[in-house]
Amino acid sequence: MDLICLLPLDFLYFKVGVNSLLRLPRCLKYMAFFEFNSRLEAILSKAYVYRVIRITAYLLFSLHVNSCLYYWASSINGLGSTTWAYDGEGNSYLRCYYWAVKTLITIGGLPDPQTLFEIIFQLLNYFTGVFAFSVMIGQMRDVVGAATAGQTYYRSCMDNTVKYMTFYKIPRSVQNRVKTWYEFTWHSQGMLDEAELLKQLPEMMRLDIAIDVNYDIVSKVPLFQGCDRQMIFDMLKRLRSVVYLPNDYVCKKGEIGREMYIIQAGQVQVLGGSDGKTILVTLKAGSVFGEISLLALGGGNRRTANVVAHGFTNLFILDKKDLNEILVHYPESQKLLRKKARRMLKNNSKPKEEKGMSKDVLIIPPRAGTPKLFQAALAAAGRMGGKGRLAHIRWKLKELKALQAASASPIVPKSPASHTSPAGSRKSDDLRSEKTAVKSPVPSVVISVTPAPKNDEQILSVENEEKEGNN
């Protein structure tokens, strides 16, 4: 349309010749230029670069217009008519442009005007130059400041934090970790707090961004499967992003759980064992932990293990307070969540026994008893009254039980006379040193009891006479 509206004026060149006044109607389409700038800034990822280029172009165009006006003012009274006017030597455009630059920037060193027209023209140039140049420099500063506003805010926060830690004499190791957190958070996210940026957007836009960023992760959480879809949407808007440094504790065992964690990037390690440093499992991006602690179910809101960040880790956190505010409007989902939480808590509280191992493991197992089949054979031999090998073994077991019963019987304390009579003591020693022999019904076996060197012990021996006779 712009090209078509200009064609009639261009045709007039054939009749009147080239005349710059015929181009003046083009200025009526100046709004198209600003519309073009707005649309171009909307599609550029770094619009501040284009703004700097555009302001620079404004400045150069202003210098171009001023140089043209200076050439026009010089030609009115004649080129070279005064020391102030252009003398017509050299490249006219470059010399006039040089004069315009010195005038707008107010560098000085220009020749003094001679006529009244030259004085008025020079004064207007000075006033216009100071105003236009200051406006353009101010716009340039605003553009650069807006482009580096986030960086300035980051530096300000970091400097204030360092100043605070220095004032309170915080250990150097802690200060280094704080600085590392600031640097990594800024370089990974481009901002320190994403919530500040999203607060400026309308409710539906925030929801659309939250769904695109977080819905795929939250929808995989078993605790929230089957809940109202709108409840999950409301929950997505409450998630906040937090960065953890390597070896930072996300939560500790025994703490009251008030948050649920979703791993956005990085890994975390769940520690346990007697020393609390044994790696039980490593969770990667997309995993969720701490979801049961969001619902207070009879003490199930305490952490059961330590969770440590394994490398730089970015986590989404949902507070218990935010979840309770959401569940007020979704009673059915609240019942379902509590039911699932009870089931998950019950499954987690069951003792985990290793396969192939009994519940009570004895360090020294008891001695195995006599096999039932062998006991039945011994009882049958006793009823039949035989004299074979089984009858012999049966009789020997009875003798051993009798001796064990006799040794287990309480010892009668000695009378006072036994302590005062040397003869009595010698007699008891002789009896203690005697060897008692018992003949068994089987002629070839002799069972004897001999006192041991210790007073309370005896030695039981079984001898085979047939073998000794043969030997």
Side-chain angles (χ1 to χ4, degrees), residues 221-240:
V221 180
L223 186 63
F224 300 122
Q225 292 180 359
C227 295
D228 194 314
R229 186 181 181 87
Q230 187 61 40
M231 188 214 74
I232 297 179
F233 288 165
D234 293 343
M235 187 177 62
L236 293 177
K237 295 183 292 185
R238 305 295 185 95
L239 294 177
R240 56 187 178 91

Side-chain angles (χ1 to χ4, degrees), residues 213-387:
V213 176
N214 307 330
Y215 183 75
D216 291 340
I217 299 177
V218 176
S219 61
K220 298 178 182 178
V221 180
L223 186 63
F224 300 122
Q225 292 180 359
C227 295
D228 194 314
R229 186 181 181 87
Q230 187 61 40
M231 188 214 74
I232 297 179
F233 288 165
D234 293 343
M235 187 177 62
L236 293 177
K237 295 183 292 185
R238 305 295 185 95
L239 294 177
R240 56 187 178 91
S241 177
V242 179
V243 175
Y244 288 88
L245 300 183
N247 300 323
D248 275 356
Y249 276 90
V250 179
C251 58
K252 293 185 177 181
K253 184 178 180 179
E255 290 181 346
I256 301 298
R258 298 183 179 90
E259 301 92 5
M260 180 192 73
Y261 302 92
I262 303 174
I263 304 176
Q264 181 188 17
Q267 299 178 355
V268 298
Q269 292 179 340
V270 181
L271 306 181
S274 58
D275 55 351
K277 297 182 180 180
T278 305
I279 301 176
L280 303 179
V281 66
T282 300
L283 303 178
K284 299 181 180 180
S287 301
V288 180
F289 60 95
E291 63 272 21
I292 301 180
S293 299
L294 292 181
L295 303 173
L297 298 173
N301 56 345
R302 285 189 177 271
R303 305 297 186 189
T304 58
N306 298 326
V307 180
V308 179
H310 184 56
F312 292 96
T313 307
N314 195 340
L315 302 179
F316 284 130
I317 299 179
L318 177 63
D319 292 333
K320 183 178 182 179
K321 179 181 178 181
D322 295 336
L323 181 62
N324 291 336
E325 292 177 356
I326 295 172
L327 292 178
V328 171
H329 307 285
Y330 303 96
E332 296 298 329
S333 298
Q334 184 178 14
K335 294 178 182 179
L336 179 62
L337 287 177
R338 292 188 180 277
K339 183 178 180 181
K340 286 186 176 182
R342 290 191 188 95
R343 189 184 305 115
M344 296 174 67
L345 187 62
K346 183 178 180 181
N347 295 336
N348 293 338
S349 62
K350 290 182 179 180
K352 298 180 180 179
E353 302 176 1
E354 297 183 2
K355 295 182 179 180
M357 296 192 62
S358 60
K359 296 182 180 179
D360 300 329
V361 180
L362 299 177
I363 299 177
I364 302 177
R367 188 183 65 178
T370 305
K372 295 183 178 180
L373 183 60
F374 187 66
Q375 291 181 358
L378 291 178
R383 288 193 299 268
M384 295 174 64
K387 298 182 179 180

Side-chain angles (χ1 to χ4, degrees), residues 153-162 165 176-188 191-192 245:
Y153 175 74
Y154 155 69
R155 290 295 179 186
S156 176
C157 292
M158 187 171 182
D159 293 342
N160 293 334
T161 305
V162 172
M165 293 187 296
N176 293 335
R177 292 184 64 82
V178 172
K179 293 178 182 178
T180 304
W181 181 88
Y182 269 106
E183 293 176 359
F184 179 80
T185 303
W186 173 255
H187 291 297
S188 61
M191 60 189 70
L192 297 178
L245 300 183

